[in-house]
Amino acid sequence: MTDLLRAEGVEKQFAARGGGMFAPHQRLMAVAGVDLELNPGETLGIAGESGCGKSTVARLLTGLIPLSGGRVTYQGRDLAALSRAEMALFRREVQMIFQDPFSSLNPRMRVSEILAEPMVIHGIGTEAQRRDRVDFLMNRVGLLPEQLSRFPHEFSGGQRQRIGIARALAVSPKLIIADEPVSALDLSIQAQIINLLQEVKRELGLGFLFITHDLSVLRHVSDRIAIMYLGRIVESGSAEEVLEHPRHPYTEALLAAIPSVDPKKRRKHAAPKGEIPSPLAPPSGCPFHPRCPYAEERCRVERPDLVEKDRPGHRAACHFSEKLPR
Amino acid sequence: MALLEIKGLSTHFSLPRGILKAVERVDLTVERGETLALVGESGSGKSITAASIMRLVPPPGRIVSGSILFEGVDLLQLSEDKMREIRGNRIAMIFQDPMTSLNPVFTIGEQVAEGLRIHRGLNRAQAEEAAAEILAQVGIPAPRERLKDYPHQMSGGQRQRVMIAMALALRPELVIADEPTTALDVTIQAQILELLDRLKEETRMGLILITHNLGIVAERAHRTAIMYAGSIMESAPTEELFANPLHPYTKGLLASLPENAKPGQELATISGNVPVLYGGTAGCPFRDRCPIGDAGCAATYPEMHDAGGGHLVRCLKAHD
Ligand SMILES: Nc1ncnc2c1ncn2[C@@H]1O[C@H](COP(=O)(O)OP(=O)(O)OP(=O)(O)O)[C@@H](O)[C@H]1O
Ligand SMILES: Nc1ncnc2c1ncn2[C@@H]1O[C@H](COP(=O)(O)OP(=O)(O)O)[C@@H](O)[C@H]1O
Ligand code: SF4
Ligand code: SF4
Ligand SMILES: [Mg+2]
Ligand SMILES: [Mg+2]
């Protein structure tokens, strides 16, 4: 089976100003050699701390920003080699959902126009067919027909996210990339939206790339998980393997830091020490070594590769995975 | 005597569209050395409750009734001069976004030292010395050098630490932390919460922790109050609240957590949307979304019911 979307050694550098006003431009390695693949019908969850490169990966995979290195393939074909028509098809089949649906919805358009627009752009259907499809989508995401003529500001955050989801579904995508789709929502609304995303994923057999920093959401939605740190994937594997038997000390630290409502699950580890280093001056060797409780001399000089650990498909970038309890 | 005792607090905004009841008949008590968690969705009135305690409600908001006893003295009866002596000195606040309370044009040192000079009468050198000491206490490495830094030169976590340092510099008896870690990553969040816990142990201050993260509440708070549409719906010792929630809203929130479901399973949900707070007081604020509400709930605003053991619940059907 060929994968739907694949990244091979994907890199992104940004020009950044370091230090004061007159400091020379520095290069910031936002994404530093990321490999991942996404299969049809599968949800890959990506987690990591703020600034680790999650959104940049999403934008690279959708071709929204150019790569600095590596390649992205869609159904086996290099994005860089797609013809104009093939690129248009890619843009239709791969849709994005954002954290803040407000900034991604045109404030001057009515909901009916927002939902029809992607179909117009991709030349799908007659006007009457598009109107039918809009009605279907409204119903599917739990909005009322009388809300069609309203503007985005007349909706609550959760309702706006429903509009964002409906718009992504309008053109029958094969893959949805959702960047923190529930992070800005209220607690009682998060569960509604997670359920909706899960339902449409199953109904339509969609592939999903789900970016979140909330590990309990990640556990709930993901088949496979990738944990990022400073622009790299440091651990990946099946959701259960990664979360139950982390092979990277950073994953272990993240899991220890999540506050839990269940007294039995509560781990009384001390909080992981130290701050997230600046991506402008990443540490030598293993990027996690200044914060790692298992670090040894080797970690300061030699960067570990992402390699398979004791279970098939479970990879970690750590010299001393065997020190972690199994 | 409790450190803080709020009784029947209502804070309303007169807006062109009508009266917005941001805070309605709120009762809360905080003891010395205690962490009280105030939990609720956005717009439920948490920040306006905090602003009411500080007497900093933005116009056109107004405290329309109630009392706020701080060590037995009603803050709502004090002159503005007397209130200014309490604000920042005996009651301090920590905000979600450090940039709202850190001034970008002054150094960290100047800002942390300012309160010490004004309220404690220290001279510049003494205040700077004390500021460095406080920064060290909140875990800022090389504090003496960092005094000369401006806020933008620090990371989000460090700015949050500086804000905590500023809030605690004068050893307040009560600290109100409004979503102090919402903008931070989990590992930094855990560090900041541990810091607050440690400082609380050392000083026996009371802490009001405003958050919507139920995991944080379960791990850190002695007592928890659940706020909805301006009213406290339920409050209890934290363990009791999580083990035995009585209000339909609290039950719904706990059931909807992904953590409490099997992976992939459909999550329990609370139907409907977060309400707008206009309109009459008649009826239970949760009635439109309540799975067990009936006609009676639309007619009567539920009084707080004491279920025993310090467990209070505002629901007409939780009485039996
Ligand atoms: N246009 C840009 N110019 C310069 N630097 C950028 C740009 N976009 C992102 N960065 C930097 O690249 C790194 C990765 O950013 P990215 O937005 O991918 O992080 P993220 O993992 O999505 O974080 P968050 O959880 O906060 O959304 C960060 O250091 C960020 O500051
Ligand atoms: N300055 C203001 N003017 C008008 N309404 C306000 C103002 N500040 C807050 N409110 C309203 O008061 C209610 C409670 O707000 P707030 O206490 O900030 O909620 P929370 O902190 O729980 O998210 C909300 O409906 C909000 O819109
Ligand atoms: S390689 Fe070394 S420093 Fe890096 S995570 Fe593993 S033990 Fe820690
Ligand atoms: S009073 Fe009625 S509507 Fe309100 S929470 Fe109780 S049962 Fe539900
Ligand atoms: Mg992002
Ligand atoms: Mg608030």
Side-chain angles (χ1 to χ4, degrees), chain A residues 143-165:
Chain A
L143 294 171
L144 301 171
E146 58 262 33
Q147 294 172 322
L148 270 173
S149 59
R150 303 229 181 117
F151 293 94
H153 73 262
E154 298 176 73
F155 291 89
S156 68
Q159 288 171 324
R160 286 199 288 258
Q161 198 53 289
R162 289 176 192 274
I163 299 169
I165 293 168

Side-chain angles (χ1 to χ4, degrees), chain A residues 51 54-56 99 179-180 211:
Chain A
K54 305 181 295 294
S55 299
T56 305
Q99 166 168 357
D179 191 356
E180 305 270 9
I211 297 175

Side-chain angles (χ1 to χ4, degrees), chain A residues 117-314:
Chain A
E117 188 189 35
M119 294 185 267
V120 174
I121 291 175
H122 291 284
I124 298 168
T126 62
E127 206 182 322
Q129 285 168 330
R130 288 199 289 263
R131 220 176 295 125
D132 282 350
R133 175 109 183 120
V134 167
D135 289 342
F136 167 81
L137 291 167
M138 286 292 278
N139 182 40
R140 183 63 201 84
V141 300
L143 294 171
L144 301 171
E146 58 262 33
Q147 294 172 322
L148 270 173
S149 59
R150 303 229 181 117
F151 293 94
H153 73 262
E154 298 176 73
F155 291 89
S156 68
Q159 288 171 324
R160 286 199 288 258
Q161 198 53 289
R162 289 176 192 274
I163 299 169
I165 293 168
R167 185 181 56 174
L169 296 177
V171 290
S172 309
K174 292 198 168 134
L175 170 68
I176 287 189
I177 298 186
D179 191 356
E180 305 270 9
V182 298
S183 308
L185 302 178
D186 268 313
L187 215 49
S188 76
I189 306 302
Q190 276 195 11
Q192 295 175 359
I193 299 298
I194 291 172
N195 283 349
L196 175 61
L197 289 170
Q198 297 276 85
E199 283 163 26
V200 298
K201 179 203 152 185
R202 281 194 200 111
E203 275 170 28
L204 305 172
L206 298 176
F208 244 92
L209 191 76
F210 199 110
I211 297 175
T212 175
H213 65 271
D214 183 335
L215 294 188
S216 67
V217 172
L218 190 78
R219 181 196 304 262
H220 191 77
V221 302
S222 306
D223 301 307
R224 284 189 305 121
I225 282 177
I227 306 285
M228 288 187 70
Y229 191 75
L230 278 180
R232 296 173 197 278
I233 294 179
V234 295
E235 177 155 13
S236 65
S238 77
E240 199 186 333
E241 265 292 308
V242 171
L243 297 174
E244 301 303 326
H245 309 287
R247 301 286 84 200
H248 195 285
Y250 175 61
T251 313
E252 186 184 54
L254 275 183
L255 289 168
I258 325 173
S260 168
V261 295
D262 181 353
K264 287 192 291 290
K265 269 197 252 166
R266 222 164 284 161
R267 304 164 203 229
K268 276 291 163 198
H269 289 302
K273 58 178 183 173
E275 303 260 336
I276 304 159
S278 158
L280 284 169
S284 64
C286 171
F288 191 55
H289 86 253
R291 303 176 73 192
C292 182
Y294 305 98
E296 294 188 18
E297 192 45 43
R298 180 179 172 199
C299 307
R300 260 178 283 280
V301 287
E302 189 187 333
R303 184 161 54 75
D305 287 327
L306 185 67
V307 294
E308 199 154 273
K309 299 292 173 177
D310 29 325
R311 294 281 192 284
H314 189 171

Side-chain angles (χ1 to χ4, degrees), chain A residues 49 188 192 195 260 272 275, chain B residues 41 155 187 191 259 267 270:
Chain A
E49 288 170 283
S188 76
Q192 295 175 359
N195 283 349
S260 168
E275 303 260 336
Chain B
E41 304 182 74
S155 73
T187 61
Q191 293 170 4
E259 198 195 323
L267 299 173
I270 300 175

